[in-house]
Amino acid sequence: MKKIVIMLVVALAAVSVAVTAAFAQGSANKDFCVLLPDSKSSIRWETQDRPSLVKAFNAAKVSYVITNADNDAQKQKTQADQCLANGAKVVILAPLDSGSGLAIEKAAAAKGAKVIEYDRQVNGSKGVVYVSFDGAKVGVLQGNGVVAGLKKNGKYSQKPVVAELNGGQTDPNAFLFKSGYDSILKPLYKKGVFVKGPDQFTPGWDNQKARLIFDQMLAKTSNKIDAVAAANDGLANAVVTALKAKKLKPIPLSGQDATGPGVQNIISGWQTMTVWKDTRLLAAKAAAFAIALSKGQTPKTNTVVKNGSAKQAAYIYPPVAITKANFRQLFNGYLKKSEVCVGVYAKYCVKPA
């Protein structure tokens, strides 16, 4: 497993280098610019979002450039400035934080370009439209997953200690997810059904920092943590590796993004659930909106969301809970069975007779 993780990190680093080089060499005169945040918070940005956006723009036969900021807000601002200098009409922005996101949006407005906020909202937004999934609902599914796991293993009635490993504080989505699982867990804390354990945000959604944080949580509680509401699969895997290192048993554990490693943890019994956000839908909608905006058209949204004291037009998709019972639906083109059901995990993919 360690070898696979190392290979994955190396592969993602190679992608990032290749992307940066491609951007530097061929970014001139692109009508559309996509600014992805990183490849550390989740592998989905490069393994799911990028190819889906490429497919959508190629099908429309338009010029575009896609960059990744590698978790560097200043780098993302520089990438945005380069896009705008090269004549981008529409920027699809997945910001690292609201401050730098707002700076990018102001720069775009000064150039007459439109901004679509992609899966991450910018506080005080100047974005024309926000396309995402229901963040609070994501958290509700995660909270329900933790509760279901505790009922299944018999710990629900034993005052289990539940920890919360949240996302990055600079990402508004982290607070949406937390609000969702807290809506499920807080009433149970208040009633004394569950005991509230350590509750901490993870700087920059960094999985390595998450491992250190969870190690500290275990030390603080003398390993007495019975379940974890983890905000995504990367953070959940940090929990899994910590538990394995201490030779502790699996505990109810949530996740998000339906990543290959996350699904492997689920089918092998180390993670209870993940939340699937079909980014193919999101990418196709964002590309369609970008093309419409470039033609002076108004995209047809399906709701309005709050942005501070203001309201923002949005297109929001519902998320889906994935467990060991229904993980195979991901093999509809979202994940490859050959990448999940491989090696020691192959046996978990065999359907019972």
Side-chain angles (χ1 to χ4, degrees):
M1 181 63 182
K2 184 176 181 181
K3 183 177 180 181
I4 293 174
V5 171
I6 291 172
M7 290 174 66
L8 180 59
V9 170
V10 171
L12 287 175
V15 168
S16 178
V17 170
V19 168
T20 301
F23 178 61
Q25 295 171 10
S27 60
N29 302 318
K30 304 296 185 183
D31 289 332
F32 303 101
C33 177
V34 181
L35 303 173
L36 299 179
D38 60 72
S39 56
K40 286 187 176 182
S41 63
S42 177
I43 62 174
R44 60 160 276 205
W45 297 111
E46 290 296 334
T47 62
Q48 298 295 342
D49 294 83
R50 178 185 290 275
S52 295
L53 287 160
V54 167
K55 181 178 179 180
F57 281 127
N58 284 347
K61 298 181 179 179
V62 296
S63 62
Y64 65 93
V65 63
I66 302 176
T67 68
N68 191 306
D70 298 319
N71 206 35
D72 184 334
Q74 183 54 53
K75 181 175 181 178
Q76 188 170 67
K77 177 62 167 62
T78 299
Q79 291 169 338
D81 289 341
Q82 185 64 58
C83 280
L84 294 169
N86 289 332
K89 298 176 183 177
V90 181
V91 175
I92 297 176
L93 171 64
L96 282 161
D97 59 71
S98 287
S100 62
L102 190 57
I104 289 170
E105 292 187 350
K106 288 180 177 179
K111 290 283 188 178
K114 306 295 184 182
V115 175
I116 295 172
E117 291 171 8
Y118 184 84
D119 205 37
R120 290 181 175 181
Q121 200 174 29
V122 176
N123 292 330
S125 171
K126 301 292 182 182
V128 176
V129 64
Y130 170 53
V131 293
S132 190
F133 296 87
D134 187 333
K137 180 63 175 178
V138 168
V140 168
L141 294 177
Q142 292 171 323
N144 285 335
V146 169
V147 170
L150 287 167
K151 286 182 176 179
K152 186 175 180 179
N153 72 4
K155 292 288 185 71
Y156 182 89
S157 60
Q158 298 178 17
K159 297 185 182 301
V161 176
V162 180
E164 299 182 22
L165 189 57
N166 314 305
Q169 282 183 292
T170 58
D171 179 5
N173 278 1
F175 292 90
L176 286 175
F177 306 146
K178 181 171 172 56
S179 72
Y181 48 77
D182 273 348
S183 72
I184 302 299
L185 299 174
K186 276 187 174 181
L188 294 169
Y189 297 147
K190 187 174 182 180
K191 293 177 183 177
V193 178
F194 292 173
V195 175
K196 182 174 175 57
D199 180 355
Q200 193 166 336
F201 285 86
T202 307
W205 290 88
D206 189 298
N207 298 329
Q208 292 182 330
K209 291 179 181 177
R211 170 64 192 275
L212 293 174
I213 289 170
F214 190 67
D215 278 336
Q216 292 167 356
M217 288 182 174
L218 288 173
K220 183 178 180 180
T221 60
S222 300
N223 295 340
K224 175 58 178 170
I225 292 179
D226 299 300
V228 181
N232 75 358
D233 288 353
L235 304 186
N237 192 61
V239 172
V240 171
T241 57
L243 292 174
K244 288 182 176 179
K246 290 182 176 292
K247 299 188 180 343
L248 298 172
K249 294 180 179 180
I251 58 178
L253 174 65
S254 66
Q256 180 182 179
D257 292 333
T259 62
V263 175
Q264 289 176 332
N265 280 335
I266 288 172
I267 62 179
S268 60
W270 283 95
Q271 186 173 326
T272 309
M273 58 83 68
T274 186
V275 179
W276 179 27
K277 303 186 300 186
D278 193 341
T279 50
R280 294 172 300 181
L281 301 175
L282 197 68
K285 182 62 69 176
F289 278 5
I291 293 167
L293 287 170
S294 72
K295 297 177 179 178
Q297 301 169 355
T298 300
K300 186 177 180 180
T301 55
N302 66 356
T303 191
V304 173
V305 296
K306 288 184 178 180
N307 190 316
S309 59
K311 293 183 177 180
Q312 185 176 21
Y315 201 101
I316 304 297
Y317 287 97
V320 177
I322 296 294
T323 66
K324 190 181 293 188
N326 67 347
F327 75 94
R328 290 179 178 85
Q329 68 179 285
L330 297 171
F331 301 148
N332 65 354
Y334 189 79
L335 291 179
K336 292 182 180 180
K337 183 178 179 180
S338 61
E339 294 176 347
V340 175
C341 304
V342 63
V344 297
Y345 301 100
K347 62 184 178 183
Y348 300 111
C349 296
V350 178
K351 291 184 178 181

